[in-house]
């Protein structure tokens, strides 16, 4: 079997004690690194070592190229596994077909990171903060977020601005991207061990699991030290519905709470292996969410569409009741205004998705 070992960060640079992990990639990866679907651009080409592996010193250009490739690959692999489990006929390439997604780890000296369909590219920017340079590509959360936009765009191309005109559809995109950052941690068994150790099994404890983009957030929002928190109690009536990122927090919070409650059912077993259960429940909830996304309308989908499909598809009565409770609390099940939250024409032409839109957003 062809395959390479590559090195990647396990989480955000601010979580330096978590360090790096070695990722096995069971397909051909050539110099660059490049694979059939992912191409690193804009940095000096990295050559594999004599064994065909890509192992680099941390925090130099070669590391950023290898880490970013491995992180995009790993998140893409997790999501495609979930989408194929829901429907084996989903596209295997990107929105534009099988030509590779170009990934630029050091795109431009500015804030944020972007997925741009028209350019077939993800751009990770870098910026100066005090005496440091902050590289967004080094945040596993930000890489996961942008990769999720690219994969979801392949699966639901008409959820893109211009094809869909509802704020809620774009907010599903943003929520899915933030939740992917959570699921991408749960997809790493060694990180599940770290999460259990730092939370002591309480997934509502404030840990790196639910916080999005810690290092980036610390530079932009000093008091919080993160950009967004998946573990929130926001209801639709609590947020500014004209802001897609604010709106997205409501769906993100509901799915996060469902995940925590399902996990708590499983750990009631006195002989439970907490870390293995966390890994398994993460996949279980991701697969249910993805299944609902596949079955949701091809354009202008709403939170209510996703919630109703998840509830009606659910075979396990305990899980179903959990979903009804959390989607109900958030105001999603009774929401009838999704169809009037239209995107203003000025925003419809934007062919891009970013992870950190506004440095002054308040939680
Ligand atoms: Zn985004």
């Amino acid at each position: 079997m062809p395959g390479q070992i590559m090195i990647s960060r396990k989480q955000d640079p601010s979580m330096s004690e978590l360090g790096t992990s070695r990722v096995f990639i069971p397909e051909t990866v050539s110099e660059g690194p490049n694979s059939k679907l992912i191409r690193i651009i804009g940095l000096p080409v990295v050559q594999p070592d004599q064994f065909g592996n890509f192992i680099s010193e941390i925090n130099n250009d070669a590391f950023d190229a290898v880490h970013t490739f491995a992180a995009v690959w790993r998140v893409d692999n997790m999501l495609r596994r979930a989408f194929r489990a829901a429907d084996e006929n989903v596209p295997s390439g990107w929105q534009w077909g099988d030509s590779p997604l170009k990934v630029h780890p050091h795109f431009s000296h500015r804030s944020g990171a972007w997925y741009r369909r028209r350019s077939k590219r993800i751009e990770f920017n870098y910026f100066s903060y005090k005496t440091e340079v902050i590289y967004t590509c080094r945040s596993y959360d930000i890489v996961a977020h942008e990769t999720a936009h690219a994969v979801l765009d392949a699966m639901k191309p008409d959820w893109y601005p211009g094809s869909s005109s509802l704020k809620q559809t774009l907010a599903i995109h943003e929520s899915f991207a933030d939740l992917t950052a959570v699921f991408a941690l749960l997809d790493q068994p060694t990180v599940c061990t770290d999460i259990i150790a730092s939370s002591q099994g309480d997934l509502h404890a404030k840990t790196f699991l639910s916080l999005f983009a810690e290092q980036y957030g610390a530079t932009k929002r000093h008091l919080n030290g993160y950009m967004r928190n998946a573990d929130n109690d926001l209801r639709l009536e609590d947020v500014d519905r004209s802001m897609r990122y604010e709106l997205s927090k409501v769906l993100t919070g509901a799915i996060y709470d469902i995940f925590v409650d399902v996990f708590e059912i499983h750990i009631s077993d006195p002989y439970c292996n907490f870390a293995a259960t966390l890994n398994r429940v993460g996949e279980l909830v991701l697969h249910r969410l993805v299944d609902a996304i596949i079955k949701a309308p091809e354009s202008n989908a709403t939170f209510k569409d996703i919630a109703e499909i998840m509830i009606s598809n659910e075979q396990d009565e305990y899980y179903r009741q959990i979903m009804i409770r959390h989607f109900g609390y958030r105001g999603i099940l009774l929401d009838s205004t999704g169809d009037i939250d239209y995107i203003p024409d000025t925003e419809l032409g934007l062919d891009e998705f970013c992870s950190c839109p506004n440095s002054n957003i308040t939680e």
Side-chain angles (χ1 to χ4, degrees):
M1 175 188 282
Q4 280 80 30
I5 308 293
M6 304 187 76
I7 193 163
S8 177
R9 275 188 186 284
K10 289 158 78 178
Q11 225 270 350
D12 193 83
S14 63
M15 302 285 135
S16 57
E17 73 274 17
L18 296 181
T20 59
S21 63
R22 293 181 174 215
V23 185
F24 175 64
I25 297 187
E27 63 178 275
T28 302
V29 181
S30 53
E31 62 179 25
N34 289 308
S35 67
K36 192 164 155 277
L37 284 178
I38 303 165
R39 173 172 299 161
I40 295 293
I41 61 169
L43 286 178
V45 170
V46 182
Q47 301 290 340
D49 66 18
Q50 58 180 318
F51 306 107
N53 297 326
F54 292 83
I55 309 291
S56 169
E57 294 294 310
I58 196 163
N59 290 350
N60 56 26
D61 284 355
F63 175 84
D64 285 350
V66 171
H67 149 80
T68 309
F69 178 94
V72 171
W73 184 91
R74 192 182 230 170
V75 173
D76 177 62
N77 183 264
M78 174 189 78
L79 292 178
R80 288 184 195 273
R81 194 180 340 128
F83 276 102
R84 282 180 58 82
D87 177 357
E88 62 184 21
N89 296 314
V90 293
S92 56
W94 305 105
Q95 182 275 335
W96 51 86
D98 288 338
S99 65
L101 171 71
K102 291 171 280 185
V103 178
H104 199 317
H106 293 180
F107 183 73
S108 172
H109 193 271
R110 55 177 286 210
S111 293
W114 301 84
Y115 162 65
R116 297 186 199 273
R117 174 199 280 186
R118 201 180 308 170
S119 310
K120 304 177 183 174
R121 188 166 70 205
I122 296 177
E123 302 162 1
F124 295 100
N125 297 315
Y126 57 95
F127 59 96
S128 303
Y129 177 69
K130 296 184 178 172
T131 57
E132 268 188 285
V133 178
I134 307 294
Y135 292 91
T136 58
C137 71
R138 295 179 185 174
S139 163
Y140 199 76
D141 288 342
I142 294 177
V143 175
H145 183 108
E146 298 307 329
T147 306
H149 278 313
V151 175
L152 184 54
D153 193 29
M155 305 299 168
K156 289 285 186 183
D158 289 334
W159 285 10
Y160 215 67
S163 300
S164 283
S165 51
L166 286 182
K167 281 275 183 193
Q168 281 205 11
T169 312
L170 300 192
I172 295 172
H173 238 287
E174 295 306 338
S175 174
F176 181 70
D178 276 1
L179 286 164
T180 293
V182 173
F183 292 125
L185 296 177
L186 302 174
D187 195 48
Q188 302 177 64
T190 57
V191 174
C192 289
T193 306
D194 295 327
I195 293 165
I196 294 298
S198 62
S199 68
Q200 300 188 5
D202 174 9
L203 301 183
H204 288 304
K206 196 170 178 182
T207 68
F208 63 88
L209 175 62
S210 65
L211 303 182
F212 178 79
E214 289 91 337
Q215 183 190 49
Y216 188 97
T219 68
K220 303 293 183 185
R221 303 171 61 203
H222 312 278
L223 293 178
N224 284 345
Y226 54 86
M227 282 302 289
R228 289 182 289 278
N229 185 357
D231 189 15
N232 69 65
D233 295 322
L234 295 168
R235 298 168 297 176
L236 277 174
E237 66 191 66
D238 300 328
V239 298
D240 178 351
R241 299 175 66 131
S242 70
M243 307 272 290
R244 74 167 88 153
Y245 295 94
E246 292 299 298
L247 197 48
S248 75
K249 292 175 185 174
V250 177
L251 182 62
T252 304
I255 301 286
Y256 188 84
D257 279 351
I258 291 166
F259 151 71
V260 173
D261 281 7
V262 172
F263 175 72
E264 287 178 356
I265 289 179
H266 286 261
I267 60 171
S268 59
D269 173 356
Y271 302 106
C272 172
N273 177 330
F274 277 59
T277 301
L278 190 56
N279 176 251
R280 196 169 66 247
V281 171
E283 183 166 76
L284 182 156
V285 176
L286 170 64
H287 282 222
R288 278 159 168 78
L289 173 61
V290 161
D291 192 54
I293 286 172
I294 292 273
K295 295 184 169 87
E298 293 306 318
S299 66
N300 287 326
T302 63
F303 292 1
K304 192 177 176 186
D305 291 325
I306 298 291
E308 288 182 341
I309 295 167
M310 284 182 72
I311 291 167
S312 65
N313 280 356
E314 186 53 62
Q315 304 290 312
D316 184 300
E317 187 54 26
Y318 288 110
Y319 300 171
R320 213 172 73 82
Q321 290 303 324
I322 288 170
M323 290 172 184
I324 291 170
R325 186 165 73 247
H326 288 299
F327 287 131
Y329 165 76
R330 306 274 171 169
I332 291 172
L333 294 178
L334 293 175
D335 184 45
S336 59
T337 54
D339 55 352
I340 58 169
D341 283 339
Y342 282 97
I343 304 164
D345 289 346
T346 48
E347 288 183 32
L348 271 179
L350 298 175
D351 70 324
E352 57 199 16
F353 277 107
C354 80
S355 52
C356 305
N358 182 342
S359 58
N360 298 316
I361 290 172
T362 51
E363 191 77 27

